[in-house]
Structure formats: C-alpha cells, structure tokens
Amino acid sequence: MQLSKTEEELMNILWKQQKAFMKDLLEAYPEPRPAPTTIATLLKRMTDKGFVAYKSAGRSREYYPTVKKKDYFSKHVNGLIKNFFNDSASQFASFFTQETDLSKDELEDLKKLIDQELKKK
C-alpha cells in the first residue's frame, strides 16, 4: 500500500518526531498550517492503512509510525524500478545518472558506494 503525497508529508514529520500528539504534528507544519480536522483525517487513513498506530493518553492520542522510513522508501523505489524500468536496476541507474544533474563529485561518491557494495558480495 502507498501513501498519498499529503500522507507522506505527515509521515515524514512523524518519522522525525518518532511519536507525537496532534498538537505536536500541527506545530511541525509551516504556515499556513492545515486544519486539525485535516490532520485527524490523514492520521485515520494512515492508521487504517497500517502505517501509524497510537497509544491513548487520557483523552489524547500519541501517534507513532509502524513502518520504518527506510522500509517504505525501499519498497517505493523497488516498485518504481519494476514498473518503469522493466525490473532492471541497471536501466534505473543509467536513467538516474544521465537524466539528473549530478556533479562529478556526486558521481564519484556513487561509484564509491557501488564499489563498497561489490566488496561485500
């Protein structure tokens, strides 16, 4: 299951804070902040999807992520590779390196990361 763009934005806040009450989440947004009812709706949808859970604390709820950011984005990138690059990581890498405006230093850093992974295998 995937998150919508607005759900991902809220999820990023929750990943940063690790756990938060509604007022904490609202305060993390830049002005103009969304309405509390909007945040409540997003949290309900994200809870229904299994991305967020909460602990009751009196009349309040303390929300926390149930999915790690790394796991979510790993699945997201793998789906992107499968759907748009014929399940070929090399096609994705080729597109990424040719179509993004990476500097020589950034390309060198990528090469080092690949070399490090090759040594592990």
Side-chain angles (χ1 to χ4, degrees):
M1 224 181 259
Q2 263 184 260
L3 296 170
S4 69
K5 185 174 175 144
T6 53
E7 290 168 342
E8 273 185 12
E9 186 178 5
L10 179 55
M11 197 70 192
N12 274 313
I13 293 169
L14 201 49
W15 278 319
K16 277 184 194 165
Q17 295 187 3
Q18 297 179 1
K19 55 185 177 178
F21 291 97
M22 171 80 77
K23 70 176 186 64
D24 303 320
L25 295 170
L26 276 169
E27 288 172 4
Y29 276 90
E31 292 289 344
R33 291 186 172 108
T37 53
T38 301
I39 301 300
T41 299
L42 291 172
L43 287 167
K44 168 87 170 89
R45 287 196 319 224
M46 292 160 62
T47 300
D48 291 346
K49 290 179 179 182
F51 287 95
V52 173
Y54 61 86
K55 293 179 187 170
S56 293
R59 293 181 56 181
S60 299
R61 292 177 175 176
E62 185 176 42
Y63 294 92
Y64 59 92
T66 57
V67 175
K68 292 179 182 171
K69 185 175 186 174
K70 180 183 174 188
D71 294 341
Y72 176 73
F73 285 104
S74 174
K75 193 173 276 191
H76 208 60
V77 169
N78 285 328
L80 184 74
I81 291 169
K82 182 177 181 184
N83 293 326
F84 293 100
F85 297 97
N86 300 319
D87 211 9
S88 168
S90 59
Q91 281 184 19
F92 171 73
S94 173
F95 176 84
F96 179 74
T97 55
Q98 292 173 11
E99 300 298 326
T100 56
D101 192 23
L102 296 174
S103 68
K104 184 175 180 177
D105 288 342
E106 289 171 319
L107 287 168
E108 287 291 337
D109 289 343
L110 281 174
K111 185 177 181 296
K112 286 177 191 172
L113 288 170
I114 291 169
D115 289 341
Q116 287 172 358
E117 286 301 314
L118 284 170
K119 286 179 185 175
K120 291 179 186 177
K121 303 221 178 222

